[in-house]
Amino acid sequence: MARTLKLYNSLTRRKEDFQPLEAGRVGLYVCGMTVYDYCHIGHARMLVAFDVVQRWLRARGYQVTYVRNITDIDDKIIRRAVENGETLSSLTGRFIAAMHEDEAALGIQRPDLEPRATQYVPQMLDLVSLLEKNGYAYRSGDGDTLFRVRRFAGYGRLGGKSLDDLRAGERVAVAAGKEDPFDFVLWKAAKPEEPAEACWQGPFGPGRPGWHLECSAMSTRLLGRQFDIHGGGADLQFPHHENEIAQSDAAYFPEGGKSFVRYWLHNGFVQVDGEKMSKSLGNFFTIRDVLKKFDGEVIRFFIVRSHYRSQVNYSDAGLDDARESLLRLYNALSTDWPAAQAQVEGQAGQGAAVSAGAGQAAAAACADGEAARAAVAAIDWSEPRAMRFAEAMDDDFNTPVAVSVLFELATDLNRTRDPAIERQLRGLAAVLGLLGQDPVAVRRNGLRGAAAHEGDLDDNAIQALVDARLAARKARNFAEADAIRQQLAEAGITLEDGPAGTTWRR
């Protein structure tokens, strides 16, 4: 009997059997970045968590439309651009490019669609018009257009709150002209001091969209008025996602009976010394700062080995441990990387059956290219450890258990050197976006960050010294050979002599 994928739905606070609106197809929307600064490790948690979600959905055979938006109009963006004396588009363009660089370093696959808020302002205005028609939107005395929260009967369900429990002004700004302190902005009236680039003309006067409105308009425009999965960080659950539900359902399903999202997924916080990592607290570390110390795959592995809903405590010690663990997996792989690639690709070409619970599963679109896609396609899903891996991933994406399966395979591979086990290890790891690098290069460089390589001898210089040592040994000039070994050791290079010759690693 085919297994059922179970998701923890934040709305109902329980695991539920996943049943997409359309058989075999999944619409997935994730709230992305507000691009006014570099991404931090908290953002990395979200990026990796939902990258794994979409990879598993694809490996399971679903045709996925993955949408992750970019917020490129916002109070913070306007403030930063004015401070810098640059245009909004210059600021956001710069940080979008930086975001994509960070994603690539973490092995994040680009979403199928990456809408920018500024491209969907007409759809946002249409949504406000629907809300006004349905009696949920009104114009305040200061020119803003607001949403009547108390009119929406289900408000607070996602966050587990009621309006009576909430204190006015605690999370929702209280402004003059509101009918109720909980009402939130749909359309912000233009201000004289703001740049013209931040203003659009429309039926609600010159202005710009509210943040909550942006995601409702983009998600429903690209995935339909009702879609399967909406995700994001736990910090967005209230008020952002709560407000999305209110305005979307009030616009599209005013009679009730339906909601625009079926399943809500939220990843846990990254903490530092027991506090949530955030820019507002000043305890955040940018992805690019951490990449100076650690390879991007180490950061990814550090995140993946914890369940996406759990809290993770960030520390260099934790990343050091993740690096050593990841190196153990790499050390199990064949040193003849091209041959291993070819073997996997040949196996995949034979049309290996994938039975992860949804019929014939498609190969996951892995960031590492064709070889990684072939690795996923070559998995023998009837093998007991692959079945355990699939069972774990079907249990609300239980990556810690899935990672433990990788270590079981690595242990067996070290013992047997069986190519079939290596295919399984590489294929299952590719589902998680892992083990896509050349293991020889990984062993040589030790999965270190960019800063750790500053001042390093380059590979050609090291190989030249290794060759010179070999020549000295052949000439029985052992003093010279030992001097070269010592020179390399002082440069942080370890030599390993074996029957096949001398190899080196940093």
Side-chain angles (χ1 to χ4, degrees):
M1 184 176 182
R3 286 184 302 276
T4 300
L5 173 62
K6 292 183 178 293
L7 308 181
Y8 182 87
N9 189 347
S10 301
L11 185 65
T12 60
R13 293 169 185 76
R14 65 174 184 266
K15 288 182 185 178
E16 298 178 358
D17 292 351
F18 177 60
Q19 297 178 335
L21 287 164
E22 182 179 351
R25 305 174 73 94
V26 178
L28 168 65
Y29 182 90
V30 174
C31 288
M33 304 303 168
T34 301
V35 284
Y36 68 99
D37 206 343
Y38 294 112
C39 298
H40 57 63
I41 292 297
H43 297 138
R45 181 85 191 277
M46 177 276 291
L47 290 168
V48 171
F50 288 100
D51 184 58
V52 170
V53 166
Q54 64 90 21
R55 283 173 185 258
W56 180 243
L57 290 171
R58 296 183 201 275
R60 217 178 181 282
Y62 289 110
Q63 185 174 339
V64 180
T65 302
Y66 177 25
V67 183
R68 193 185 67 229
N69 78 292
I70 294 173
T71 296
D72 60 348
I73 182 67
D74 173 86
D75 290 346
K76 294 175 182 175
I77 291 171
I78 295 170
R79 190 180 310 119
R80 181 65 57 84
V82 171
E83 289 172 356
N84 292 354
E86 63 180 318
T87 63
L88 303 185
S89 56
S90 170
L91 176 78
T92 58
R94 185 155 48 86
F95 285 115
I96 289 170
M99 177 187 72
H100 287 155
E101 290 173 358
D102 292 343
E103 290 171 4
L106 297 176
I108 305 296
Q109 293 176 343
R110 295 282 286 274
D112 299 297
L113 299 168
E114 194 172 52
R116 302 185 186 188
T118 53
Q119 299 169 336
Y120 287 81
V121 174
Q123 288 80 9
M124 296 172 196
L125 288 167
D126 290 343
L127 184 54
V128 179
S129 295
L130 266 178
L131 289 168
E132 186 177 51
K133 177 184 174 184
N134 293 343
Y136 286 92
Y138 68 94
R139 305 187 200 193
S140 68
D142 58 6
D144 291 343
T145 301
L146 306 174
F147 182 87
R148 289 188 173 97
V149 166
R150 289 190 185 272
R151 183 178 173 84
F152 185 73
Y155 193 84
R157 185 181 170 203
L158 180 66
K161 304 172 185 290
S162 70
L163 291 176
D164 293 335
D165 295 334
L166 294 167
R167 295 205 330 256
E170 184 176 356
R171 292 296 301 271
V172 182
V174 179
K178 283 188 174 184
E179 293 179 359
D180 188 282
F182 294 106
D183 294 348
F184 59 86
V185 175
L186 297 166
W187 185 258
K188 292 190 173 188
K191 296 178 176 59
E193 67 272 17
E194 293 179 343
E197 195 180 2
C199 179
W200 285 263
Q201 300 299 321
F204 304 95
R208 56 189 169 87
W211 174 40
H212 313 302
L213 181 73
E214 294 174 1
C215 284
S216 284
M218 287 184 282
S219 64
T220 56
R221 174 66 180 82
L222 294 171
L223 295 174
R225 292 189 172 187
Q226 191 178 38
F227 59 92
D228 297 300
I229 302 171
H230 193 316
D235 55 327
L236 300 182
Q237 193 165 336
F238 185 88
H240 182 52
H241 290 162
E242 193 77 65
N243 291 350
E244 277 193 66
I245 292 173
Q247 65 199 5
S248 300
D249 289 2
Y252 301 134
F253 310 111
E255 303 303 319
K258 282 187 178 181
S259 186
F260 87 119
V261 170
R262 302 280 301 283
Y263 304 89
W264 288 89
L265 273 58
H266 292 94
N267 65 272
F269 295 127
V270 174
Q271 295 190 316
V272 179
D273 297 328
E275 287 191 301
K276 182 177 85 74
M277 181 183 294
S278 72
K279 292 179 180 177
S280 61
L281 293 174
N283 65 346
F284 70 97
F285 300 86
T286 67
I287 294 172
R288 51 194 48 215
D289 280 345
V290 181
L291 285 169
K292 293 176 183 177
K293 295 183 179 180
F294 300 94
D295 184 90
E297 192 176 354
V298 172
I299 302 171
R300 183 183 184 94
F301 183 73
F302 171 76
I303 294 169
V304 165
R305 68 180 186 172
S306 297
H307 192 276
Y308 80 94
R309 286 192 286 113
S310 68
Q311 293 186 348
V312 171
N313 193 62
Y314 172 87
S315 69
D316 279 2
L319 282 163
D320 279 327
D321 182 70
R323 174 167 54 193
E324 294 307 310
S325 296
L326 186 56
L327 282 170
R328 288 203 300 274
L329 293 178
Y330 268 108
N331 286 336
L333 297 179
S334 303
T335 55
D336 189 357
W337 188 240
Q341 301 270 45
Q343 187 178 47
V344 167
E345 288 163 7
Q347 179 75 10
Q350 297 171 17
V354 180
S355 56
Q360 290 297 103
C366 296
D368 305 309
E370 292 299 326
R373 283 194 288 272
V376 175
I379 296 169
D380 175 7
W381 291 102
S382 65
E383 188 267 331
R385 283 164 298 200
M387 292 174 66
R388 284 211 314 281
F389 181 100
E391 288 168 1
M393 294 299 289
D394 277 345
D395 183 17
D396 192 38
F397 312 102
N398 193 336
T399 55
V401 173
V403 167
S404 73
V405 172
L406 301 185
F407 282 98
E408 289 180 23
L409 286 164
T411 297
D412 278 1
L413 182 57
N414 283 326
R415 180 174 53 83
T416 65
R417 309 314 307 166
D418 184 345
I421 295 176
E422 178 158 1
R423 283 196 299 272
Q424 292 291 85
L425 174 57
R426 291 182 58 229
L428 294 174
V431 173
L432 301 178
L434 299 171
L435 303 187
Q437 301 184 63
D438 182 344
V440 174
V442 166
R443 291 169 194 168
R444 283 180 173 178
N445 295 311
L447 293 170
R448 300 177 304 154
H453 293 279
E454 293 176 3
D456 278 354
L457 292 172
D458 65 33
D459 289 3
N460 291 334
I462 294 169
Q463 191 59 51
L465 287 168
V466 170
D467 293 342
R469 175 176 175 268
L470 177 61
R473 293 179 70 184
K474 285 183 177 179
R476 305 187 65 78
N477 186 350
F478 298 114
E480 175 67 14
D482 288 345
I484 293 173
R485 176 187 279 276
Q486 182 61 29
Q487 179 185 351
L488 288 168
E490 291 173 357
I493 307 302
T494 298
L495 300 184
E496 295 174 349
D497 296 319
T502 300
T503 59
W504 59 267
R505 58 184 172 85
R506 299 185 188 276

